[in-house]
Amino acid sequence: MLTPALLAQKFLARPYKSRLFQLRCIFIWITQNIGPGGAAAAATTAMDLCNNNESSFLSSLAEKVLMSRECSSSLEMASLFYVMARAIGHEEAHVVYGYLRGQKDTIDSMRQPNHAWVALKVDGEYRFVDCWLGSPYYPDNNGRVETHWFLCQPLDMILTHFPHDTSHQYLEPPVNSTVFFALPYVTMPYFWHRVQVLDFDPSCLDLVDDALCHLTLALDPDIGCYAHVETTSVLADNSTGRVTKTRGLAQCTLSPTTGERICKVKAVLPPHHPIGWLKIFCGPRVRSNSNGTQEKIGPGHYPLALCFRLTRRAGDHRSSSVASYPPAATPAPPRFEFVQLHVSSYDIYIQEPQCFYLYPMQQYIFRVKSDHSHHKLAVRGPTGRMYKLMYYPHDHTYDGTVNINDAGSWSLVSLLHHSSGFNVVASWECKI
């Protein structure tokens, strides 16, 4: 009979001398040959059974998975990798039980372990393997093996996985549950595009009154971003109401100190919403391909990469009760929105105005920064009149003063060379 140990020793690991290649072969074989099956609810019960005779239980579980070629939980898949890894000499491998974070989970959600993965020492360092998340059958993987979950580093793993035994984080010092949920929820695009939150301070997510949330991300070249805040209204009967998406502002540019690509994100909670979720979407930057395009950048252009929980509290001059801020009887103040960005062939950073709504009969300074100096930029009014912006080569900025006298849509446009056409870069709205 073919056992997990025999499969690992005689067939999968035998062609390779490198321990790393042997482990990778086992990971690929499991993710490609073990499919979903049975009731997923069996995972929690199995973790409880492990407390008695873990090694014997995991071995029997691995044999069952290999025989059926299907598994019903992350524990079953982890047990198969664990048994096969130990069979080829990784004696320090062990199964880790813990919590796999969901997109909008809070610390109150983490009541019991819901996931299992494997920790093992490679070249003197502990790494993690999660065959369940690496499987092509996992919904988010779109039918392909996700190799990020093979020998994942502890600092990456702690963003999504919280071990029941904190020593199994293999971090010094270990992260507690409060810090774990203060970190962003991340998805695969976060790792694919090497996104990093620079100088992250969790207090920036706790907004006072109508303050803005400011974040700066480092990311790979030619990666674009979009951000919005999701809030849910609560009805009079305390049931969940409509989900509202409030556009944030995510603009990419080059860091003035390092020259690397960064994205500056701004977001705000809408009135009467003390809690919301800031979602940041990242992916290969979309580019304009038509004359005069009006395509607006939205969440459909990029996949979700990060999610932060935003909260709001009243300042010292207001009531200290978050639940009563603002009071329910208070009329809702005007909803603030950021400038609407459009698909563009180049990074153009809007320095001002960053608000979406413009007041009539007012004078605005339009100031823009671009690292591509061959643009000709202009502000286009609702009547089609163009107000060209002056370029300043020493700091790669454009600016111009415009009187907003007409109601309607105002746009920042990039004039095309050798033609009379243009591409819309950003847009504002003026209402009378």
Side-chain angles (χ1 to χ4, degrees), residues 128-257:
F128 301 99
V129 177
D130 192 333
C131 295
W132 181 265
L133 295 187
S135 170
Y137 299 102
Y138 190 70
D140 294 344
N141 291 345
N142 298 319
R144 68 172 182 265
V145 175
E146 181 47 69
T147 57
H148 169 78
W149 301 113
F150 173 70
L151 301 185
C152 187
Q153 298 183 32
L155 284 174
D156 288 340
M157 203 70 171
I158 196 58
L159 293 174
T160 51
H161 297 60
F162 190 83
H164 181 69
D165 183 345
T166 55
S167 67
H168 292 162
Q169 296 175 11
Y170 297 104
L171 293 173
E172 187 59 42
V175 171
N176 61 40
S177 57
T178 301
V179 174
F180 175 70
F181 283 101
L183 297 172
Y185 167 83
V186 301
T187 64
M188 288 314 305
Y190 175 88
F191 301 109
W192 293 341
H193 307 310
R194 296 188 294 179
V195 180
Q196 291 183 353
V197 184
L198 301 179
D199 301 323
F200 177 60
D201 182 356
S203 65
C204 75
L205 307 176
D206 183 21
L207 309 181
V208 179
D209 295 337
D210 299 323
L212 300 179
C213 172
H214 297 258
L215 292 171
T216 302
L217 310 179
L219 61 166
D220 277 346
D222 215 31
I223 298 300
C225 298
Y226 172 80
H228 69 220
V229 174
E230 287 188 6
T231 51
T232 305
S233 59
V234 179
L235 304 180
D237 59 356
N238 290 327
S239 61
T240 301
R242 183 170 60 94
V243 175
T244 302
K245 298 178 181 179
T246 303
R247 185 174 64 247
L249 183 61
Q251 299 192 96
C252 295
T253 184
L254 298 180
S255 168
T257 56

Side-chain angles (χ1 to χ4, degrees), residues 124-428:
E125 296 182 359
Y126 271 98
R127 298 296 180 94
F128 301 99
V129 177
D130 192 333
C131 295
W132 181 265
L133 295 187
S135 170
Y137 299 102
Y138 190 70
D140 294 344
N141 291 345
N142 298 319
R144 68 172 182 265
V145 175
E146 181 47 69
T147 57
H148 169 78
W149 301 113
F150 173 70
L151 301 185
C152 187
Q153 298 183 32
L155 284 174
D156 288 340
M157 203 70 171
I158 196 58
L159 293 174
T160 51
H161 297 60
F162 190 83
H164 181 69
D165 183 345
T166 55
S167 67
H168 292 162
Q169 296 175 11
Y170 297 104
L171 293 173
E172 187 59 42
V175 171
N176 61 40
S177 57
T178 301
V179 174
F180 175 70
F181 283 101
L183 297 172
Y185 167 83
V186 301
T187 64
M188 288 314 305
Y190 175 88
F191 301 109
W192 293 341
H193 307 310
R194 296 188 294 179
V195 180
Q196 291 183 353
V197 184
L198 301 179
D199 301 323
F200 177 60
D201 182 356
S203 65
C204 75
L205 307 176
D206 183 21
L207 309 181
V208 179
D209 295 337
D210 299 323
L212 300 179
C213 172
H214 297 258
L215 292 171
T216 302
L217 310 179
L219 61 166
D220 277 346
D222 215 31
I223 298 300
C225 298
Y226 172 80
H228 69 220
V229 174
E230 287 188 6
T231 51
T232 305
S233 59
V234 179
L235 304 180
D237 59 356
N238 290 327
S239 61
T240 301
R242 183 170 60 94
V243 175
T244 302
K245 298 178 181 179
T246 303
R247 185 174 64 247
L249 183 61
Q251 299 192 96
C252 295
T253 184
L254 298 180
S255 168
T257 56
T258 66
E260 296 180 348
R261 186 173 178 80
I262 61 173
C263 178
K264 293 188 176 181
V265 178
K266 294 183 179 181
V268 63
L269 280 169
H272 294 306
H273 288 277
I275 297 175
W277 297 90
L278 169 58
K279 293 187 173 183
I280 302 176
F281 304 77
C282 300
R285 189 158 61 88
V286 292
R287 301 176 184 274
S288 58
N289 55 12
S290 61
N291 184 17
T293 179
Q294 296 294 312
E295 186 177 5
K296 300 174 181 178
I297 297 179
H301 289 99
Y302 306 115
L304 178 67
L306 304 90
C307 183
F308 297 85
R309 184 175 185 261
L310 298 181
T311 58
R312 172 161 52 204
R313 58 185 172 87
D316 294 338
H317 61 288
R318 300 198 182 205
S319 168
S320 61
S321 173
V322 174
S324 62
Y325 168 72
T330 303
R335 179 176 169 182
F336 179 84
E337 291 189 36
F338 288 99
V339 55
Q340 172 67 67
L341 302 181
H342 292 241
V343 173
S344 175
S345 297
Y346 303 99
D347 288 328
I348 296 180
Y349 190 94
I350 310 295
Q351 294 182 331
E352 57 179 318
Q354 293 187 340
C355 58
F356 178 65
Y357 293 107
L358 305 179
Y359 290 97
M361 312 305 295
Q362 297 293 320
Q363 189 177 78
Y364 284 86
I365 297 176
F366 287 81
R367 182 170 289 114
V368 178
K369 178 177 173 59
S370 175
D371 296 307
H372 301 274
S373 59
H374 59 276
H375 293 298
K376 291 183 178 179
L377 300 180
V379 174
R380 185 174 186 266
T383 63
R385 181 180 175 182
M386 296 286 190
Y387 303 83
K388 292 187 177 181
L389 302 183
M390 181 71 70
Y391 176 64
Y392 299 91
H394 65 280
D395 58 359
H396 304 287
T397 61
Y398 300 75
D399 72 18
T401 302
V402 179
N403 293 317
I404 306 299
N405 297 323
D406 300 310
S409 178
W410 290 76
S411 304
L412 175 68
V413 298
S414 175
L415 304 178
L416 300 180
H417 295 279
H418 312 298
S419 72
S420 59
F422 60 86
N423 283 328
V424 176
V425 175
S427 59
W428 297 263

Side-chain angles (χ1 to χ4, degrees), residues 46-66:
M47 290 176 188
D48 295 334
L49 293 174
C50 287
N51 294 331
N52 297 323
N53 191 342
E54 181 180 38
S55 180
S56 175
F57 176 78
L58 292 176
S59 296
S60 62
L61 197 59
E63 291 178 2
K64 172 197 155 209
V65 172
L66 180 61

